[in-house]
Structures are given as structure tokens and as C-alpha cells.
Amino acid sequence: MNVKVDIILPSYNKEHYIEETINSVIKQSFIEWKLIIIDNCSSDNSKKIINNFATHPKIDVIYLEKNMGASFSRNLGIRRSNSKYIAFIDADDLWGSE
């Protein structure tokens, strides 16, 4: 069975954490995933860091023009998802590789 999970990551001004968070998703042993990052109009260097991952084949990035909050971002990610399963990760969380 080919399972696919969309992972929704809302972010706002998390420049000190976002790169490590994204890398923790990339390093998962489970490989059938897509990461949807929604940046809520960050005013720090978060956009620059996120943009470094924008060409990754399993990562989609959405930049909002104004901060709509985490709830809006999660719902937007759900609407953009094509997968049967959805997972959420916050911009300052880490996942283990197993």
C-alpha cells in the first residue's frame, strides 16, 4: 500500500527554528510525504530560510501577504492537500527520524 501524508507547517517569525524543523521532516524514514509550508508574512529572515527549500521536490511553499494566523494557515494547508492523511508540525518543533 502506497501511503502519502501531507505535512502542514505554518510559520511566523521563526528564523531561529525553521531550518531545523524543515530538516527534521526531510530526514524522516517514512518517504511518502509532502511538506506544505505557509509563511504568515514573516518580518524576520524566515522567508529567506524557507526559500532555500522552495525547490525541494517534496516541499510546497505559500507566502501570505499578511499574517492570517496559524489556524488560517492550517486550514489553507488542508485545502491544498491531496492526500488521504494530514499531519501538522509547528515551526519550532522537531521530529525524530523514525
Side-chain angles (χ1 to χ4, degrees):
M1 181 157 126
N2 214 2
V3 178
K4 185 173 178 188
V5 176
D6 283 344
I7 306 158
I8 299 170
L9 168 59
S11 178
Y12 176 70
N13 286 349
K14 294 293 185 185
E15 68 178 313
H16 299 294
Y17 308 102
I18 191 72
E19 183 173 11
E20 192 173 7
T21 298
I22 295 168
N23 280 324
S24 79
V25 172
I26 291 171
K27 293 177 183 176
Q28 292 298 299
S29 59
F30 182 81
I31 60 171
E32 293 297 325
W33 56 267
K34 178 176 75 174
L35 178 61
I36 303 169
I37 304 170
I38 300 105
D39 181 81
N40 270 291
C41 198
S42 292
S43 58
D44 64 358
N45 287 320
S46 294
K47 288 181 186 178
K48 183 177 181 181
I49 295 165
I50 292 167
N51 199 44
N52 290 332
F53 294 93
T55 59
H56 191 286
K58 292 185 174 190
I59 297 177
D60 291 341
V61 179
I62 301 167
Y63 294 106
L64 299 179
E65 293 184 17
K66 73 179 205 176
N67 187 334
M68 301 296 289
S71 297
F72 176 89
S73 298
R74 286 185 185 98
N75 288 325
L76 177 60
I78 290 168
R79 288 192 303 273
R80 295 282 179 101
S81 174
N82 293 320
S83 297
K84 182 176 180 180
Y85 301 101
I86 294 175
F88 298 98
I89 187 169
D90 290 329
D92 58 356
D93 289 344
L94 299 176
W95 283 355
S97 60
E98 298 183 30

